[in-house]
Amino acid sequence: MSYPDPQFCNLAIVDDDEAVRVGLRSLLRSYGYAANAYDSALALLASGSLGDYHCIITDLQMPGMSGVELLEQLRRDGNQLPLILMTAFPEPALRKRALSSGASCFLSKPFEANELLRCLSQASGSFPTNDKE
């Protein structure tokens, strides 16, 4: 399986748990990926930097706006940015809602690094092109 080239893959991590944000960012950086972390979906949206990312990796359950609500908001706004959802509570109804709303992948915590890389590979087919170059 081939993984997206880290040189052309900028990721946003959204999780209300600081330890998860730090750990996931560190893991992705160890594979050469650039990643910025946000403590909430609202913080990501307020950053004004959605256009800088190729993919969002977000927790499902967060205060303010859940990962699925973030996904649904992006789609309502016409934004097709790939989004990978992760959760420690993988309920079938939430999984179905996430995937039917357009999530690229649904990960159950804890997960192995290769599972995340597989999801990135799966999502990379719909990465936006970088027109800034």
Side-chain angles (χ1 to χ4, degrees), residues 14-126:
V14 183
D15 200 302
D16 59 319
D17 184 326
E18 182 179 12
V20 173
R21 286 192 312 271
V22 170
L24 194 52
R25 188 174 184 202
S26 178
L27 171 70
L28 290 165
R29 285 184 166 187
S30 74
Y31 284 95
Y33 293 100
N36 292 319
Y38 299 88
D39 63 1
S40 72
L42 296 172
L44 170 64
L45 294 174
S47 74
S49 60
L50 280 177
D52 296 339
Y53 299 112
H54 296 95
C55 186
I56 298 170
I57 302 167
T58 184
D59 190 23
L60 178 65
Q61 295 180 321
M62 299 180 290
M65 178 183 270
S66 73
V68 170
E69 290 168 336
L70 171 61
L71 172 63
E72 292 170 345
Q73 180 65 52
L74 291 172
R75 297 308 182 254
R76 278 193 302 274
D77 294 343
N79 188 321
Q80 296 302 311
L81 193 61
L83 189 140
I84 296 169
L85 274 162
M86 54 186 179
T87 183
F89 307 99
E91 299 171 20
L94 288 174
R95 178 183 178 82
K96 182 178 178 182
R97 179 179 171 194
L99 295 174
S100 67
S101 295
S104 297
C105 200
F106 191 90
L107 286 170
S108 297
K109 294 178 184 175
F111 51 83
E112 301 283 329
N114 65 344
E115 292 176 87
L116 178 59
L117 292 173
R118 177 190 53 78
C119 282
L120 280 173
S121 180
Q122 187 174 319
S124 69
S126 55

